[in-house]
Amino acid sequence: MSISYFKQAINLFRQESRNRTQYRLSQWFKWLSPGLSVKRWLLISAGGVVLTALGLAIWVKLTPIFYAIQLIQDLVSTIANFLPNYISGPLILLFGLLLIFWGQTRTVSSITEVLRPEGDEELIDVLLSYRRLHRGPKIVVIGGGTGLSTLLRGLKTYSNNITAIVTVADDGGSSGRLRRENGVLPPGDIRNCLAALASEETLLTELFQYRFTAGDGLTGHSFGNLFLTAMSDITGDLERAIAASSDVLAVRGKVLPATLSDMRLWAQLADGRRIEGESNITEAGGSILKIGSIPASPPALPKVIQAIEEADCIIIGPGSLYTSVIPNLLVPEITSAIASRRKGGGRVPPVPCIYVCNIMTQAGETHGYTVSDHIRAIDNACGEKLFNAVLVHKQYPSPRSLKRYAQENSHPVFLDRELVTKLGRRVILANVMDEDEATGVVRHNPQRLAGVLLRWYSRAYG
């Protein structure tokens, strides 16, 4: 019994050794992958060593080089006298290759220990991932709320060239309090996007999202909101505060406010009421006929327009239709820039633009809305057609989730395909939903949603 156990342990040890060897070899072969921009610099360095030696030899009239070569010849002749060349040659060659391999292995390991001290990922994998993400498409995402940050968590695994354009019309919760008390633009949605685009889920990111539950004047505030407010005061405006925070969190991509103007929403309801304030519109519980902003035409941030002009793909949503998505499109320069890129012209090709529709309706905003109602609301707010396609979730939530949402007067957004087609939009159906079994809450799945959007972009326009 003990001998059998001993043999089994030896076999497991051998298998583990083989697996480690195969893994190390596969990691080394990755260094030969094209596009790393490593091999060319190694060759240039080797060329520099050769030229340096040649220049030194010419400078000293070849004297040291001559004696060095003579010494090598004598050494080779001595070895050849004891061992034939067909034995000594391969042995010396093998020894030289082993020295090269050993030296390069230790060099890479030393660099890896410095750059990745936690040792959770190989340096070559980090380089390959960086190159892949750096060459990813330039994606502009427009929206706000939890929907936008959810999408960004998925997109950052496909590209580093992401620009999130975020609404600054929020006037509720912690953001609203800071807006009223400190006169700053609401930082809440921006904070969520920064955390979503952070390179890693680190303690710093958790700190940025931490919300105080006690303390005079602190209850309900998140650390990130307070941090952005302080940075805005120090740097002079929210744009610089976001840039500084992005460096701290190692954000992949950029987060930009749609405007730096103090923007307030108003809505005209079907019962004749005019409601002002983003939080008040939802609480009013009426049917929205028209929505606008004060001021009526806030200026766009110049970097926002630049990002749209350079985009390979534009994504609108997901998020609350009237209080997260449309507020960005009430900035005329943003609407005009998107429309111009969608149509193309001259040497500028048209850019694909897609709207991600919500899974459920929202009481106080979109009660009873179908997919075509969402599209018409955006078209009416903008005055023109901005997107080519709409992404709709394929399946309904479970009966338990439907019952939970029905208590909040919320229901699945019905796909009226014929009306959507008449509006000139292509329908993309996909399973992009996550359902919490414990609470019955449904959300877009970040990875599946981003994957569907990138596949749509690649197939249609890649």
Side-chain angles (χ1 to χ4, degrees):
M1 187 71 177
S2 59
I3 295 176
S4 175
Y5 178 79
F6 182 68
K7 288 181 178 179
Q8 193 175 29
I10 291 176
N11 290 333
L12 288 174
F13 176 76
R14 288 175 177 173
Q15 182 63 39
E16 186 178 350
S17 298
R18 282 195 295 269
N19 291 340
R20 282 201 301 267
T21 303
Q22 291 173 358
Y23 173 75
R24 297 308 305 173
L25 286 174
S26 66
Q27 293 299 108
W28 270 99
F29 275 117
K30 286 182 181 180
W31 287 98
L32 302 177
S33 302
L36 271 180
S37 299
V38 172
K39 298 182 293 298
R40 71 189 67 173
W41 303 117
L42 290 176
L43 289 174
I44 290 175
S45 298
V49 171
V50 172
L51 290 177
T52 300
L54 181 61
L56 183 62
I58 294 173
W59 191 7
V60 298
K61 298 181 180 180
L62 301 176
T63 304
I65 305 299
F66 172 78
Y67 286 116
I69 294 174
Q70 187 66 44
L71 178 62
I72 293 172
Q73 287 178 343
D74 293 341
L75 182 60
V76 169
S77 299
T78 303
I79 294 174
N81 288 333
F82 291 95
L83 291 172
N85 62 336
Y86 60 84
I87 295 178
S88 59
L91 284 176
I92 294 175
L93 178 62
L94 180 61
F95 183 67
L97 290 175
L98 286 174
L99 287 178
I100 293 173
F101 180 78
W102 184 38
Q104 291 299 313
T105 301
R106 298 307 304 165
T107 299
V108 172
S109 297
S110 299
I111 296 173
T112 304
E113 288 175 5
V114 174
L115 298 181
R116 310 288 295 179
E118 66 277 9
D120 60 349
E121 193 174 4
E122 294 286 347
L123 179 60
I124 180 59
D125 292 327
V126 175
L127 287 173
L128 286 171
S129 176
Y130 173 80
R131 293 297 179 189
R132 176 180 61 82
L133 294 174
H134 187 68
R135 291 193 294 265
K138 296 179 180 178
I139 305 171
V140 169
V141 189
I142 301 170
T146 58
L148 179 59
S149 57
T150 297
L151 174 57
L152 294 176
R153 285 190 183 91
L155 287 177
K156 73 177 181 182
T157 62
Y158 291 91
S159 177
N160 278 344
N161 304 310
I162 302 170
T163 300
I165 300 173
V166 187
T167 176
V168 289
D170 186 11
D171 62 1
S174 170
S175 293
R177 287 168 57 192
L178 290 171
R179 183 175 185 171
R180 291 187 296 272
E181 295 170 5
N182 297 78
V184 297
L185 292 176
D189 287 347
I190 292 170
R191 181 202 80 236
N192 289 332
C193 291
L194 287 172
L197 285 175
S199 295
E200 300 176 6
E201 297 296 329
T202 60
L203 179 62
L204 189 59
T205 305
E206 293 179 18
L207 175 64
F208 213 64
Q209 293 287 65
Y210 175 78
R211 193 172 293 274
F212 294 94
T213 57
D216 187 19
L218 288 177
T219 304
H221 281 305
S222 71
F223 175 81
N225 283 359
L226 298 176
F227 181 84
L228 283 170
T229 301
M231 288 298 294
S232 297
D233 190 43
I234 293 170
T235 60
D237 60 44
L238 184 59
E239 182 185 1
R240 293 190 183 94
I242 295 170
S245 302
S246 298
D247 292 337
V248 171
L249 294 172
V251 165
R252 297 180 184 176
K254 294 182 291 185
V255 179
L256 300 174
T259 179
L260 292 180
S261 294
D262 185 14
M263 182 180 181
R264 284 178 54 83
L265 294 181
W266 61 262
Q268 189 71 41
L269 305 186
D271 58 13
R273 288 181 294 164
R274 177 187 166 99
I275 308 297
E276 291 190 7
E278 180 263 345
S279 58
N280 296 329
I281 292 172
T282 303
E283 293 174 0
S287 178
I288 299 173
L289 294 181
K290 188 177 181 181
I291 193 163
S293 69
I294 303 171
S297 299
L301 196 70
K303 287 185 179 179
V304 167
I305 304 304
Q306 181 183 356
I308 295 173
E309 291 174 347
E310 296 174 354
D312 296 320
C313 178
I314 300 173
I315 302 171
I316 299 175
S320 299
L321 178 64
Y322 286 106
T323 54
S324 291
V325 174
I326 289 180
N328 295 287
L329 306 177
L330 295 177
V331 180
E333 291 172 285
I334 292 179
T335 303
S336 299
I338 296 173
S340 177
R341 290 309 317 276
R342 187 190 68 80
K343 297 172 185 176
R347 296 183 179 181
V348 180
V351 168
C353 184
I354 188 170
Y355 168 58
V356 181
C357 192
N358 294 332
I359 299 173
M360 308 295 292
T361 62
Q362 185 175 354
E365 283 200 41
T366 57
H367 176 64
Y369 271 39
T370 63
V371 174
S372 67
D373 290 329
H374 283 74
I375 295 173
R376 273 192 291 266
I378 296 176
D379 289 350
N380 292 337
C382 301
E384 56 184 315
K385 176 180 172 182
L386 292 186
F387 49 90
N388 318 80
V390 55
L391 175 61
V392 182
H393 180 62
K394 194 173 185 178
Q395 297 178 342
Y396 277 4
S398 68
R400 179 181 179 182
S401 292
L402 292 177
K403 183 178 179 180
R404 178 220 184 260
Y405 277 93
Q407 295 173 353
E408 301 175 359
N409 205 18
S410 177
H411 307 278
V413 177
F414 175 71
L415 172 59
D416 46 350
R417 187 186 288 270
E418 291 185 5
L419 291 178
V420 172
T421 303
K422 287 181 181 179
L423 291 172
R425 265 60 172 216
R426 179 186 173 190
V427 176
I428 310 298
L429 277 174
N431 292 318
V432 292
M433 184 185 73
D434 266 343
E435 187 170 352
D436 191 313
E437 295 181 359
T439 62
V441 175
V442 297
R443 293 282 186 268
H444 283 102
N445 178 281
Q447 293 300 326
R448 288 203 295 271
L449 179 58
V452 169
L453 290 169
L454 266 295
R455 284 194 296 274
W456 167 78
Y457 164 74
S458 299
R459 290 171 183 171
Y461 304 93

